[in-house]
Amino acid sequence: MKLLELCGYEPNEIKKELPRVKKALEAYGISQEDIKVAEKRVEKFWDVELKGVRKLLGCQLRDWIDMILAPEEKKKIITCQIPSVGGMPVAAAVLERPHEVWGGFPKIANLHNLGAVFGKLPELLEAAENLCMTPGEIHCGCDMTEIGAYAMGRMGKRKPDLNITWACFCVEAPKVDGLIEDWFGVPTYYINRIQDDGFKETEVPQRIMDYVCAQIKGCQKVMSDTLGWEVTDEMMLKGMGAVMNCYMHWSEIAELLRADPMPLHQADMSLCDYIMFTGVQDLAGVAEALSILAEEVKERVKAGKGVLPKGAPRVMTATFTPISDPGIAHMIEEVGLAVGAVGFRLFDPDGSTKVQMSEKVNLLKWEETIANLYIQNMLYKGVPGKADLIVKGCEYWNLDGILWLNETPCRPFASDALMLKEFIQKKKDIPMLLMDSSIYDTRAYSAPQLRTRVESFAELLRLRMAK
Amino acid sequence: MPFVAGVDIGSVTTKAVILDCAENNEILSYHIVPSEGDVVALGRQSMEAALRKIKKKAEVKYIIATGYGRVSADFANSIKTEILCHGKGAHAMIPSARTVIDIGGQDSKAIRLDEEGNLIDFAMNDKCAAGTGRFLETIARALGMKVKHLAEVAAKAGRPCEISSTCTVFAESEVVTLRAHRNEDCNIVAGLHRSISKRVVAMVKTIKPKKEIVFTGGVAKNEGVKKALEAELDTEILVPEYPQIVGAYGAALIAKEEFLAI
C-alpha cells in the first residue's frame, strides 16, 4: 500500500502491519478508492520528501489504527481530550504497559486521519448533527468529531474504560464529555481549574496552582483503579521525561522556524504541533520522527533553503492552523505569507518555546511540572496576559503581522478576539487581522473562501514593509 | 499615449475602467455589465466595450483584474484584491478619505487608509449575505419593488420597522410577516436600511474608523442606506461620483503604476 510508504512505514513493518491496517480501515468504512484519494492528498499537503514528515504521518496513522483496533485487541482504553493536560499521566501508563493500554486523543486521531488524510470528516460531523448538535448552532467541530464517532459506533465494540477531560478552558467540551458519560456509559474524570485569577493577572496565583495540581494528581488514582494496577509516581516521572524528550525535539524544530527563508511548510510544522501533545501511544516513535525532522530542517537552514522566498512577511496565526484541512495553511503560503509562529508555541517568559519553570516548582512532583507547563502557555491567560505574551512573541519570532484565524465556534477564543486586538495594538504597532474560521469543521470555511482576506493582508504587510 | 485598464469582476456586476498614463488620473471611459455566465469573458468584453467608447484608436498595454473573478482573469497582467483596489480608488477620488465602506453584491468591507491612501487595516464579511447588496435585492423582490426605488420609498417612512439583520432568508420571511400585519412599505424599507447599516457599522467599528468616511460599491447609490449609515456612525459620509466603479478605478491606477515601473 503506497499510503503506508508515504507515511514512513519501513518495508518489514508494512508486511507485518498490513492486515491490521486493512482491518482498521475496513472498520472505518475506508474503501480502496478512499485510499487512492488519501495517497494524493498526502502528497499534496505534506512535504513527503522529508523523512521526518513521513515518520510523523506514520505516527499519526499508527495511533489511529491502534485506537480503532484497541477494543478487539483487548487493550484497556483511556481517552484524553484537548486541551491535553491529561496526556502526560496517560503517557506514563502507556509507557509502562504498551501492549495492555491504548491511550490517546480520538478527536485528534480522527481530525487528522479521517479529516486531513482521507477528506472524510463530514460523515462524523453529520452524525453529531443527527444525534444532538443541531446544524447552525455553531458547535465546536472538535467536539462534533468526538460525539460523531460515538454516534457512528466508530469507537469500537467496547467503550473506553476511562475518559480524562480538562474542564478549565473549553465551555462545550466538558459538557460533551458529560453527555458521552451519560449516553454511552464512558467513565469520565474531569480535571478542573478555578477561573478566578482575575482579568489582569499575568501570573497564576498559588492557590490556583495548588488546586490544579490536586486535580491532576487525582488522575493517578482514577487511572490505577481503572487499570487494576498502581500507576506510581516513578512511572509518572518516567512518562513525563519521555514527553519532555519529544517536547525538546519539537522545540528545536519550532525555533529553527525563526530562520529566513522559512525552512518548513506550516502544514508540516502543524503535524509536529499536534503530535507533540497527543502522540502518547508511541512516544519513542514520535521522538525519533521529530529528531529526524529537526536534523533535516537544520540542513535546510544551513543551506539557506526555504519554502518561501527570503524576506516573505511573517505572521502568527491564532492557536493552530486547521488540522483537518491543511489546504488553508498552504493557501496562506501561496499568497506569500510565512507562518512564523502559532499561538500554541508561545510560553512564558519571552514568548518562545523554551519554558522556564519557576523556582517554586518542585520538579520531583510531576503534577507541579505539568500544571506549570500548561499554565505558562499563552492559551490559558487572561486577555492582558495573552496580549503581553503575543507582543513578546512577535519580537521573538520576528513577525510582521498577526493573522488571527479565530476558531469561531470556540467561546474562549471568539469572545475575546477583538479585545485582544485592542490590547496588542496598544502595546505594539503591528497589523492584526481577525478572521472567522474553523480549525476543525472542514465544511465551515475553505481556503478559497478565506483567500481574499489573507491575500489583502499579505498586500498590506508588503506595502508596510516596503515603506 | 498608452492605455491601461482595471477590471473588477464582482459577483453582481463586472466593471472596467480605462485610463491613459496622464498625471490627472482622469477616467477616460468605463463600462458595467451584469456578471452572468462566463465571468472571464465578461471581464474581457466589458474592457473592450469601455475601449470602444474612446473615440481614438486604443490599445490597452496593461491590465489589473480584481474582484471575485480575478483569479481566473487570464487576460490580465496581474491581479490585486478588491480591498487594495477599493482603497486606492476611493483615495484617488476623494483624497481626504481615511475610511472606506464598500457594500457590494455579496460582501461588505471596511478599509482604513493613511494620509497617502495606503491600506492600514480592514475588515470584511464574506460569509453571510446579510449586510450586502444581495440582502437588499432579496427583500426588494419580496416587496415586489426594484432596488433602485428603495431609497425613494424609504424617504416617506415615519416609523421604521425593526428588522433582524442576522439572516437574509429569515429577514425575507420577516418582511412578508410585517406586510401581513399591515406595516407600510416605506417603514419596512427604512427598517431594512437601518438593519443593513447596523450590521455594517458593527464591522466598521472594529477598524476604528476615521474621517472622511467614503461609501463605495453599488449599494452606495442608495441614498436610504447612506442616511442610515450616517445615523449609525453619527457622522457625514461621502459618496464618490461613480461609487460602483471605485474598485475598477483603483485597479486601473495600480495598472498605471506597474506599467510605468516596467
Side-chain angles (χ1 to χ4, degrees):
Chain A
M1 197 185 285
K2 188 183 169 193
L3 180 63
L4 298 186
E5 287 171 25
L6 291 170
C7 293
Y9 278 56
E10 300 295 340
N12 57 343
E13 194 188 3
I14 294 178
K15 204 172 161 190
K16 187 178 154 220
E17 285 294 309
L18 198 56
R20 286 184 79 240
V21 172
K22 281 184 176 167
K23 194 191 277 185
L25 296 184
E26 202 174 302
Y28 250 65
I30 303 285
S31 66
Q32 282 302 317
E33 201 180 315
D34 292 330
I35 294 170
K36 293 268 171 267
V37 169
E39 288 164 356
K40 283 191 186 140
R41 286 172 70 92
V42 167
E43 288 178 311
K44 178 180 162 193
F45 288 145
W46 293 286
D47 196 344
V48 288
E49 292 292 308
L50 295 169
K51 188 179 176 189
V53 168
R54 292 200 303 276
K55 289 277 177 196
L56 286 167
L57 287 164
C59 290
Q60 283 282 21
L61 184 62
R62 226 173 273 118
D63 192 33
W64 192 50
I65 301 294
D66 289 348
M67 176 192 88
I68 298 168
L69 298 179
E72 69 180 80
E73 291 178 349
K74 310 271 190 279
K75 287 181 180 167
K76 288 276 185 183
I77 302 167
I78 305 181
T79 56
C80 300
Q81 306 304 337
I82 55 167
S84 64
V85 74
M88 283 201 205
V90 174
V94 173
L95 200 65
E96 191 61 23
R97 300 194 188 184
H99 302 295
E100 290 179 25
V101 184
W102 182 85
F105 297 74
K107 286 177 183 176
I108 298 297
N110 278 322
L111 286 163
H112 170 81
N113 292 290
L114 196 64
V117 175
F118 287 97
K120 292 189 73 171
L121 194 66
E123 64 182 39
L124 293 189
L125 301 170
E126 284 159 19
E129 287 172 348
N130 291 337
L131 185 70
C132 59
M133 299 178 105
T134 315
E137 286 182 351
I138 324 181
H139 290 293
C140 167
C142 192
D143 293 328
M144 290 172 77
T145 302
E146 183 186 13
I147 212 152
Y150 278 95
M152 289 187 79
R154 295 285 200 235
M155 296 305 291
K157 289 178 186 135
R158 188 166 56 79
K159 64 180 170 41
D161 299 280
L162 178 64
N163 179 28
I164 299 175
T165 189
W166 169 233
C168 84
F169 181 75
C170 299
V171 182
E172 193 171 54
K175 306 285 177 213
V176 166
D177 289 318
L179 193 145
I180 287 170
E181 183 172 16
D182 190 44
W183 286 7
F184 298 97
V186 180
T188 301
Y189 179 74
Y190 297 84
I191 299 174
N192 286 305
R193 177 195 158 179
I194 40 177
Q195 300 218 5
D196 67 343
D197 49 335
F199 182 72
K200 293 200 170 169
E201 297 272 12
T202 50
E203 278 192 28
V204 180
Q206 192 55 42
R207 68 182 184 286
I208 292 183
M209 290 306 299
D210 293 344
Y211 183 80
V212 175
C213 286
Q215 289 283 308
I216 297 172
K217 182 83 177 156
C219 263
Q220 193 177 11
K221 183 173 178 337
V222 178
M223 281 202 313
S224 299
D225 292 346
T226 303
L227 295 170
W229 44 272
E230 194 189 351
V231 182
T232 63
D233 285 336
E234 288 70 31
M235 290 177 198
M236 287 294 188
L237 284 169
K238 197 173 140 196
M240 209 174 61
V243 172
M244 292 313 287
N245 185 35
C246 294
Y247 185 96
M248 204 182 67
H249 294 302
W250 166 80
S251 167
E252 192 182 1
I253 300 169
E255 295 293 324
L256 286 166
L257 303 194
R258 294 173 76 197
D260 188 14
M262 173 58 64
L264 190 65
H265 285 295
Q266 170 55 23
D268 300 321
M269 187 59 210
S270 180
L271 255 184
C272 304
D273 290 341
Y274 283 104
I275 201 80
M276 206 289 295
F277 72 86
T278 63
V280 296
Q281 184 65 27
D282 177 20
L283 288 169
V286 171
E288 188 204 0
L290 289 171
S291 74
I292 292 171
L293 186 60
E295 288 307 314
E296 290 176 318
V297 178
K298 221 181 279 175
E299 284 302 312
R300 282 188 173 181
V301 172
K302 221 183 278 173
K305 193 179 163 195
V307 296
L308 281 154
K310 194 172 166 65
R314 301 166 69 85
V315 296
M316 176 194 300
T317 61
T319 42
F320 299 98
T321 46
I323 176 171
S324 42
D325 182 3
I328 292 177
H330 282 291
M331 177 271 290
I332 294 171
E333 290 175 346
E334 277 162 25
V335 305
L337 297 178
V339 180
V342 297
F344 164 69
R345 291 180 216 142
L346 270 51
F347 287 85
D348 275 335
D350 59 358
S352 77
T353 60
K354 298 171 194 156
V355 182
Q356 288 172 24
M357 292 286 175
S358 148
E359 286 171 7
K360 285 184 233 163
V361 178
N362 180 350
L363 293 172
L364 293 175
K365 287 195 168 180
W366 57 272
E367 67 275 20
E368 279 194 25
T369 312
I370 296 178
N372 274 278
L373 185 61
Y374 275 88
I375 283 169
Q376 285 191 33
N377 189 276
M378 184 275 288
L379 301 183
Y380 301 102
K381 296 182 182 298
V383 173
K386 270 187 194 167
D388 198 39
L389 205 51
I390 289 171
V391 168
K392 287 177 186 165
C394 287
E395 298 292 330
Y396 185 83
W397 300 97
N398 307 315
L399 304 177
D400 303 296
I402 303 169
L403 180 63
W404 202 251
L405 279 173
N406 215 9
E407 171 56 20
T408 305
C410 178
R411 293 297 98 197
F413 257 95
S415 56
D416 65 13
L418 191 55
M419 252 196 296
L420 193 60
K421 181 177 175 179
E422 286 209 36
F423 268 81
I424 289 169
Q425 292 189 329
K426 262 183 209 160
K427 287 169 179 275
K428 188 173 172 69
D429 175 27
I430 186 160
M432 180 170 177
L433 177 67
L434 302 181
M435 281 176 69
D436 286 354
S437 68
S438 172
I439 56 178
Y440 307 117
D441 190 338
T442 48
R443 306 163 309 169
Y445 298 89
S446 65
Q449 196 260 343
L450 297 170
R451 188 177 178 119
T452 294
R453 281 170 288 171
V454 179
E455 209 173 330
S456 303
F457 193 59
E459 283 169 342
L460 185 158
L461 295 181
R462 277 193 286 267
L463 285 169
R464 199 179 144 101
M465 287 162 82
K467 269 178 100 181
Chain B
M1 189 171 282
F3 293 101
V4 294
V7 180
D8 179 1
I9 306 172
S11 60
V12 176
T13 55
T14 296
K15 292 80 64 175
V17 165
I18 307 288
L19 302 180
D20 60 22
C21 290
E23 272 183 25
N24 61 8
N25 294 331
E26 189 189 341
I27 296 173
L28 298 179
S29 77
Y30 69 91
H31 192 75
I32 303 173
V33 289
S35 292
E36 288 162 359
D38 179 350
V39 289
V40 179
L42 277 173
R44 198 181 285 113
Q45 286 160 18
S46 68
M47 186 182 68
E48 286 163 1
L51 266 178
R52 281 196 295 276
K53 291 181 186 172
I54 301 172
K55 298 279 186 320
K56 292 178 269 187
K57 190 175 177 226
E59 191 191 346
V60 174
K61 294 285 186 192
Y62 204 90
I63 307 160
I64 296 272
T66 186
Y68 278 90
R70 70 185 182 281
V71 186
S72 327
D74 52 7
F75 57 86
N77 296 82
S78 170
I79 59 171
K80 298 286 172 201
T81 66
E82 46 271 42
I83 290 167
L84 190 73
C85 294
H86 273 273
K88 187 91 180 168
H91 191 263
M93 285 177 175
I94 302 175
S96 57
R98 297 293 175 270
T99 305
V100 181
I101 299 172
D102 176 74
I103 307 182
Q106 71 174 28
D107 66 32
S108 44
K109 315 172 194 72
I111 304 166
R112 273 275 287 118
L113 304 170
D114 66 13
E115 293 73 19
E116 292 157 17
N118 295 314
L119 176 65
I120 54 173
D121 199 0
F122 67 93
M124 182 175 177
N125 175 7
D126 67 0
K127 189 155 175 76
C128 174
T132 70
R134 193 76 77 192
F135 185 65
L136 287 176
E137 266 179 29
T138 305
I139 306 295
R141 196 176 55 236
L143 291 169
M145 291 179 193
K146 291 221 161 94
V147 172
K148 63 182 179 187
H149 295 142
L150 290 175
E152 193 185 321
V153 173
K156 295 171 193 150
R159 197 182 169 83
C161 300
E162 278 297 326
I163 295 176
S164 150
S165 63
T166 44
C167 174
T168 304
V169 177
F170 289 143
E172 187 179 357
S173 52
E174 200 176 337
V175 162
V176 173
T177 309
L178 286 169
R179 235 183 178 187
H181 289 145
R182 303 191 180 284
N183 285 285
E184 288 181 68
D185 282 355
C186 58
N187 289 330
I188 297 173
V189 176
L192 168 73
H193 290 163
R194 203 150 80 174
S195 163
I196 201 170
S197 304
K198 279 180 191 294
R199 193 174 178 100
V200 170
V201 167
M203 182 182 67
V204 173
K205 284 185 175 168
T206 68
I207 61 157
K208 299 198 183 331
K210 292 230 165 82
K211 284 186 178 178
E212 299 292 335
I213 299 174
V214 173
F215 185 19
T216 68
V219 177
K221 292 196 291 188
N222 181 325
E223 185 68 19
V225 176
K226 176 183 175 267
K227 281 186 178 155
L229 282 171
E230 286 178 331
E232 285 298 321
L233 286 163
D234 196 21
T235 189
E236 185 194 8
I237 60 175
L238 309 174
V239 177
E241 194 178 354
Y242 307 111
Q244 221 175 343
I245 58 166
V246 171
Y249 179 50
L253 290 170
I254 299 169
K256 182 181 141 187
E257 284 171 10
E258 290 193 2
F259 175 69
L260 293 177
I262 294 172

